[in-house]
Amino acid sequence: MEEKKKIIFSGIQPSGNLTIGNYLGALKNWVKLQDKYDCYFCVVDLHAITVRQQPKDLRRRTLEVLAIYLAAGIDPERNTIFIQSHVPTHCEAAWLLNCFTYVGELSRMTQYKNKSQKYSDSGDPISAGLLNYPVLMAADILLYNADLVPVGKDQTQHIELTRDIAQRFNNIYSPTFTIPEGYIPESGAKVMDLQEPTKKMSKSSGNPNSFILIMDPPEVIRRKINRCVTDSIGKVKYSDDQPGIKNLINILIALQGTTAEEVEKKYENLGYAEFKNDVAEAIVQELKPIQDKVKHYLENKYYLEEIYKKGAEKAHYVSNKVLRKMQKKIGFIPPAR
Ligand code: AQP
């Protein structure tokens, strides 16, 4: 008998245009994992509205993220690809799980602290959604009984919280949820900001020179890499004292499967200009075919619609069973038929 495949859930927020951080930290690894696992890949639009989005931008980006999933190589025949807001079980389960999560836990999350600081510095109000974000993420994962959640390093704290919430629910009632594990890629787990290389690269950064977008044209990629912050040491070394150079080496490792030693050796007697040039070309080569395919998919809206419709139906079917189980254990009366 064929062994049941383990389950993966992962998603990306359409909260901005996707960066090579999202690509190397998440997407590129999903493509590798799809052979071995039963995968649910979601465009997490409900997460994106924890900060204010322009409706037309959100609509455009949601479809673009879906097109990027396909263009990067996620196969819609083998995986369940869907848009989070099309599957209402996520919101319902998130409410239930909110009642098993403590405010203290949520306010200790690094992402919440960083983002709420950023918004209060700019005088913007902080929504309760920003605080509750990890509970919705826990619902996303637990509704599919995911075994593995491939994420970049920035999300490990949220996975830990998901595990705590699941264990708490299981202990109060009886085993209900699989306790998921985070899956951090060997390379590309944390691509850093090109202007402040001690900070994570983020799609919502206000400075376009701080990130490379998956859809950036080649000349923009070259210019951004050329202008990225390095140091005055002048040697291509994989060192914490040279965070800008280290970041570029990490990008090369994630793109080409090379090692830090090989990169150091190759550029031993060469300057930063040559090194940057090669990094930029490696990024351009990787992204060009993806960009072409994205454009093709975006011109075929009916095809995209077919995929997200089929994906939402399957996701709803699977997640609804888990939601019903949660409701029953909590003590809700099942609706009369
Ligand atoms: N810089 C990064 N390096 C490696 N992985 C990254 N990820 C994000 N940035 C990097 C991974 O991409 C996946 C999707 O992330 P997300 O869109 O759900 O949210 P995020 O982690 O908050 O990403 P951003 O780009 O920083 O978005 P904003 O600016 O909207 O908050 C996750 O697996 C994440 O780890």
Side-chain angles (χ1 to χ4, degrees), residues 192-196 201 209-212 224 228-229 247:
M192 309 307 276
D193 184 296
L194 298 179
Q195 295 301 316
E196 288 178 70
M201 181 183 285
N209 286 323
S210 70
F211 49 64
I212 303 248
K224 287 182 178 176
C228 80
V229 167
N247 188 33

Side-chain angles (χ1 to χ4, degrees), residues 250-297:
N250 275 330
I251 292 174
L252 264 191
I253 294 173
L255 287 172
Q256 301 183 329
T258 174
T259 64
E261 295 73 37
E262 282 167 354
V263 177
E264 284 179 350
K265 193 153 184 341
K266 181 166 176 198
Y267 294 95
E268 215 173 0
N269 299 312
L270 299 171
Y272 287 171
E274 194 140 6
F275 174 57
K276 281 181 165 183
N277 199 25
D278 288 356
V279 174
E281 285 320 306
I283 299 172
V284 168
Q285 291 311 316
E286 177 91 5
L287 296 184
K288 183 75 180 66
I290 296 177
Q291 296 175 348
D292 293 343
K293 287 186 198 152
V294 169
K295 286 176 195 147
H296 166 77
Y297 286 124

Side-chain angles (χ1 to χ4, degrees), residues 2 23 26 53 64 70 73 95 104 113-114 117 121 125 132 150 167 176 179 193 207 217 224 237 284 287 303 324 331:
E2 204 184 318
Y23 178 68
Q53 303 292 332
E64 187 172 283
L70 300 174
W95 171 254
K113 287 200 274 191
N114 291 345
Q117 184 64 49
D121 286 350
N132 287 316
Q167 259 149 0
T176 309
I179 308 299
D193 184 296
N207 178 359
K224 287 182 178 176
K237 279 265 166 222
V284 168
L287 296 184
Y303 179 63
R324 295 283 162 251

Side-chain angles (χ1 to χ4, degrees), residues 26-315:
L27 268 170
K28 197 168 162 65
N29 300 297
W30 296 0
V31 175
K32 292 184 202 145
L33 294 166
Q34 65 182 341
D35 293 330
K36 256 179 81 189
Y37 296 91
D38 181 8
C39 301
Y40 292 82
F41 294 125
C42 185
V43 182
V44 287
D45 54 350
L46 296 170
H47 282 279
I49 63 158
T50 49
V51 295
R52 196 67 69 232
Q53 303 292 332
Q54 288 298 328
K56 77 170 181 355
D57 291 342
L58 183 61
R59 274 191 289 272
R60 177 185 61 77
R61 286 200 220 104
T62 301
L63 283 188
E64 187 172 283
V65 173
L66 190 77
I68 290 177
Y69 285 6
L70 300 174
I74 308 287
D75 178 357
E77 295 302 322
R78 278 185 287 164
N79 305 288
T80 308
I81 305 175
F82 65 104
I83 297 172
Q84 190 185 26
S85 63
H86 292 177
V87 185
T89 49
H90 289 240
C91 285
E92 292 180 60
W95 171 254
L96 302 185
L97 294 178
N98 254 316
C99 301
F100 296 85
T101 310
Y102 308 134
V103 174
E105 290 174 313
L106 293 173
S107 55
R108 276 198 296 276
M109 292 292 114
T110 308
Q111 189 183 73
Y112 171 71
K113 287 200 274 191
N114 291 345
K115 287 199 173 175
S116 55
Q117 184 64 49
K118 190 169 135 192
Y119 293 112
S120 63
D121 286 350
S122 58
D124 290 335
I126 299 153
S127 75
L130 198 62
L131 180 70
N132 287 316
Y133 173 110
V135 186
L136 179 59
M137 180 164 160
D140 297 339
I141 297 165
L142 300 177
L143 278 174
Y144 299 92
N145 276 316
D147 299 283
L148 274 190
V149 187
V151 284
K153 250 189 207 142
D154 60 314
Q155 291 292 341
T156 44
Q157 208 184 19
H158 291 163
I159 305 288
E160 277 308 312
L161 181 62
T162 299
R163 290 166 59 86
D164 290 345
I165 298 170
Q167 259 149 0
R168 192 170 297 151
F169 193 100
N170 286 355
N171 288 340
I172 294 173
Y173 302 105
S174 56
T176 309
F177 301 123
T178 301
I179 308 299
E181 305 261 358
Y183 177 94
I184 309 294
E186 279 166 32
S187 59
K190 197 165 185 187
V191 178
M192 309 307 276
D193 184 296
L194 298 179
Q195 295 301 316
E196 288 178 70
T198 49
K199 247 176 59 183
K200 183 187 88 125
M201 181 183 285
S202 263
K203 60 173 117 63
S204 59
S205 157
N207 178 359
N209 286 323
S210 70
F211 49 64
I212 303 248
L213 299 177
I214 294 181
M215 295 306 285
D216 270 344
E219 64 279 10
V220 174
I221 296 176
R222 292 187 187 109
R223 195 186 64 228
K224 287 182 178 176
I225 293 291
N226 190 26
R227 287 187 187 165
C228 80
V229 167
T230 50
D231 51 68
S232 54
I233 297 174
K235 282 224 158 294
V236 177
K237 279 265 166 222
Y238 193 77
S239 154
D240 288 337
D241 298 334
Q242 296 174 256
I245 292 292
K246 185 175 176 184
N247 188 33
L248 295 183
I249 297 178
N250 275 330
I251 292 174
L252 264 191
I253 294 173
L255 287 172
Q256 301 183 329
T258 174
T259 64
E261 295 73 37
E262 282 167 354
V263 177
E264 284 179 350
K265 193 153 184 341
K266 181 166 176 198
Y267 294 95
E268 215 173 0
N269 299 312
L270 299 171
Y272 287 171
E274 194 140 6
F275 174 57
K276 281 181 165 183
N277 199 25
D278 288 356
V279 174
E281 285 320 306
I283 299 172
V284 168
Q285 291 311 316
E286 177 91 5
L287 296 184
K288 183 75 180 66
I290 296 177
Q291 296 175 348
D292 293 343
K293 287 186 198 152
V294 169
K295 286 176 195 147
H296 166 77
Y297 286 124
L298 288 175
E299 283 161 10
N300 287 282
K301 294 268 160 53
Y302 288 118
Y303 179 63
L304 292 181
E305 207 175 290
E306 234 173 68
I307 288 173
Y308 66 68
K309 181 169 183 276
K310 192 172 122 211
E313 279 165 7
K314 160 104 185 278

